[in-house]
Each structure stands twice: as C-alpha cells, then as structure tokens.
Amino acid sequence: MKNIYINQVSSFLPNKPVGNEEMENYIGLIGGKPSRVRSIVLRQNGIKTRYYGLDKQHKITHSNAQLAKQAAESLFADKTIPENVTLMACATSTPDQLLPSHASMVHGELGNFPMEIFSSAGVCLTSLQALKICYSNILAGLHKKAVCVASELTSPALVSKFYDPEYEATHDNPDKDPYMAFEKDFMRFMLSDGAGAVLVQDHPEGNTPLRIEWIEMTSYANELPTCMFMASELQADGRLKSWKEFSPDEIKERGVLVGKQDIRHLKKFAIKYWVNHIETVLAKHNVKPEEINYVIPHLSSMLFYDKLNNEFLTRKIALTKEKWFVNLPSVGNIGSAAIYVALEELIKTKEIKRGDKILLLVPESGRFSYGTVLLTSE
C-alpha cells in the first residue's frame, strides 16, 4: 500500500485580530443594546481574540471563496497553484451561496486551469471529509497531487441586522423563551473567520512531510438528536423544520436563518461520544496512546478543555493535556478551518522530529460526528 503525505500546510486569517471588547463594534448591537450574555460566554469559551472578514460598517472584506483562495495559494512559494495539482477538495459550513458549490466558487476565484473539484458540506468535520477525498483519490492512483482547503466566513451572519427583527417582534412578549434567546445570542461570541489548507501528495517533500497513516470518521446521528442547526427551527418532537416551510415574514421575524445550538445536548453527549470514537479508532489500528507525541483537539470552547482531559484521565487514555496543542484563545473557533490553522502553527512553533506522531481530533456537534487522523513526521 502506497504512502500519502501532507507536504505543506498554510492558513489565512483576514484583517487584524479583534479583541473581546471590540466584538460588538463589528457584529453590532441587537436592539441597540449590549448583549447580556457576552461576558458569560466569553468567560466560558476562553477566546481572547478572533478574526473577522468584516469591517466596522458590517461590510464584507473577503468572501468565503476568497479566504479559501488565499490559503490554497499560500501553500506555494510563488502563490501560484502549479498545473500538476489536478484535484481540489473544499470544505466549509458557511458557503457564500446555496448554489453553485463552494468548490466551484473557489475554483472560479483561483481562475487557474481546469481541474477536478469536490465540495464537502456540514460543520467542522467537513475539513477531514475533504482531506479524505484527497487521500483516497491519491491512494487509488487517480491523482498524484491535491489541495485540500477548509474555510469559514461566519461573521456576516452574526451581524445584528439578522437578529433585530425577531427582537423587535418578541422583546415585549412575556411568552418568549429565554433559553432560545440565549441559544441564538451566545453563538455570536463563539465563531471566527479564516481558512487553512494542506498539500497532499504521493511522496514526501519539504521540511516537515507528514505521512497520513489513516483517517477515520464516525457519525452518531442514528442515535443522537440534532444539536447545532441553521436555516431551520427545532420542533418539540426533535424534527428540524426547514426554512422552506416558513413564509418570508416568518423567516425574518423568527430568526430562522441564524445559527443556533442546543447547549443541553452538547453538554450531555459531546465529550462522551468523542472519546468513544477515539478509543474505537485507536483500537482498530492498534495504536497505543503512549506512542502519540502531539494531540490537536479542535475545541469549540475552552469550557471543554478540562472536560475532555478529565474523560481521558477517567478512562486511563494517555492523550491528556500535556500533549495538546490548542490555539483557540488567540484565533477563535474557525470551524472546519481550525484544525489546519492549528496544525500549521504547531509545525511553526514546535520542533517536530522525524518519527513524531500527531493526532488530529475533530468533533462536529451538528448531529454528533467525529473524526481522527494519525500523522507521522518523516
């Protein structure tokens, strides 16, 4: 079986870092008032700075496709994708449009040459889905050189104008559910914009080639409820009611298009099932946790830092925080792009030695899916 390598990693973070006190200068005030949950959410998530593809006038400075283009081109010294790259897989939770596909728009921004493209849709795990597309195609001998890029442009959807109509329609309504208000508002202080990319090839190149040992993903949607959703509304029976079932006025007044997350489901299931997945895939590949040198866990919030570490301690799995590399406090939660942005920073800031093993851990709370990648430095 041939070996497949990540030979280059890059990232692109738009504009300047935005501190906690500046956030509402960019995303605005709902109803003209500072958020009541902002300080609580920021204290829990541990994020100090993040990046927005947005200015203080709420104007978009970079489209999602442009973020992806910048990261993809940054894989190469001359910022030009060579013609022997014949495959590009693009991942995102927040495409600029429903149609055409996100990958088509990224390819259009590149304007380079005809190539095969793939789009993976979902939440954070789209990053590893796109990577597996590149890995599998090269493994099958269909391509030799591929670009995988994950990008998110979430901030424009967090701007207060999308929340104001619901606020105006319900703020004097005593029947308004305060939990749902928190469910929508807290998301505004969690997310960041940016892109990360990797160059995947059938041979090692460069200063820190990383051999992909395996990529594993597991969905638990067959047994767990929906946790994070957008362009829909959660019904009492657990069904998601699509935006297609609402009138235009309802879409506006109910905030149907904004992102929402059920914190109760997140706290109940996220860590337990994440570690179940990790245990299962390590056993499948006969990998001992003691062999791992670095672990990059994609944490949506530092609230889960100790929870994940404690679960490893409880189960006696030697993947505890001494091995972790986490940059969430400085870059924010960039969704699908987060894992590649962290991997690039790890390579730049740590002395990765030949034979070091790096474990990438990506959870997705949409309806609870998880992915793990094992890399070995050569």
Side-chain angles (χ1 to χ4, degrees), residues 263-377:
I263 302 299
R264 296 167 295 187
H265 291 329
L266 191 66
K267 290 181 177 178
K268 184 176 181 180
F269 300 119
I271 297 298
K272 174 187 174 183
Y273 277 82
W274 193 2
V275 180
N276 287 351
H277 161 80
I278 294 165
E279 277 194 310
T280 299
V281 298
L282 292 181
K284 175 181 176 179
H285 292 278
N286 196 29
V287 174
K288 293 180 174 59
E290 292 78 9
E291 300 172 358
I292 306 299
N293 302 95
Y294 296 98
V295 177
I296 304 180
H298 167 46
L299 300 171
S300 61
S301 166
M302 293 303 285
L303 176 67
F304 295 108
Y305 187 93
D306 286 331
K307 293 182 184 300
L308 179 61
N309 185 64
N310 290 340
E311 189 71 14
F312 283 143
L313 287 170
T314 298
R315 301 198 198 187
K316 295 181 171 56
I317 302 171
L319 295 176
T320 47
K321 61 186 180 182
E322 295 79 13
K323 297 182 178 183
W324 293 7
F325 181 85
V326 175
N327 63 354
L328 176 72
S330 61
V331 302
N333 179 3
I334 322 174
S336 66
I339 198 68
Y340 300 137
V341 173
L343 179 60
E344 185 202 30
E345 190 173 335
L346 171 73
I347 293 169
K348 284 184 174 180
T349 59
K350 303 294 182 181
E351 188 178 342
I352 308 298
K353 301 184 292 296
R354 182 181 177 88
D356 279 354
K357 294 189 179 298
I358 304 170
L359 200 66
L360 309 182
L361 305 177
V362 180
E364 173 177 303
S365 62
R367 196 158 177 173
F368 297 104
S369 297
Y370 302 90
T372 302
V373 181
L374 181 61
L375 306 173
T376 301
S377 177

Side-chain angles (χ1 to χ4, degrees), residues 177-193:
D177 182 351
Y179 174 76
M180 288 302 291
F182 176 80
E183 178 184 53
K184 294 175 183 177
D185 197 9
F186 101 97
M187 289 282 285
R188 302 178 72 230
F189 305 103
M190 296 290 293
L191 302 172
S192 185
D193 300 336

Side-chain angles (χ1 to χ4, degrees), residues 6 8-12 68 70-75 147-150 195-199 337 340-341 343-344:
I6 291 175
Q8 191 64 255
V9 188
S10 69
S11 66
F12 179 76
Q70 293 281 354
E73 290 182 335
S74 295
L75 291 169
V147 165
C148 168
V149 56
V198 294
L199 177 64
Y340 300 137
V341 173
L343 179 60
E344 185 202 30

Side-chain angles (χ1 to χ4, degrees), residues 41-171:
V41 174
L42 291 171
R43 186 167 61 249
Q44 289 184 339
N45 69 27
I47 298 170
K48 305 301 181 186
T49 53
R50 77 281 297 140
Y51 292 81
Y52 289 148
L54 194 68
D55 64 21
K56 292 182 180 180
Q57 286 70 50
H58 305 167
K59 293 181 180 178
I60 294 173
T61 60
H62 303 74
S63 71
N64 190 326
Q66 288 168 341
L67 294 175
K69 175 193 175 184
Q70 293 281 354
E73 290 182 335
S74 295
L75 291 169
F76 307 95
D78 62 359
K79 299 296 179 72
T80 301
I81 296 180
E83 292 194 18
N84 61 352
V85 173
T86 54
L87 171 66
M88 179 175 67
C90 298
T92 190
S93 311
T94 56
D96 296 315
Q97 65 294 305
L98 293 177
L99 293 172
S101 76
H102 176 59
S104 290
M105 301 310 291
V106 176
H107 191 204
E109 287 289 338
L110 289 169
N112 49 1
F113 46 82
M115 63 194 308
E116 187 169 3
I117 60 171
F118 284 87
S119 286
S120 58
V123 196
C124 302
L125 199 56
T126 57
S127 56
L128 300 191
Q129 292 166 355
L131 180 62
K132 196 159 188 176
I133 287 167
C134 296
Y135 170 80
S136 301
N137 271 270
I138 296 175
L139 198 61
L142 301 176
H143 295 273
K144 293 185 176 181
K145 194 171 187 178
V147 165
C148 168
V149 56
S151 57
E152 300 293 357
L153 182 69
T154 309
S155 61
L158 305 177
V159 170
S160 55
K161 66 181 179 181
F162 294 110
Y163 298 76
D164 282 337
E166 182 183 18
Y167 176 85
E168 294 298 330
T170 62
H171 77 286

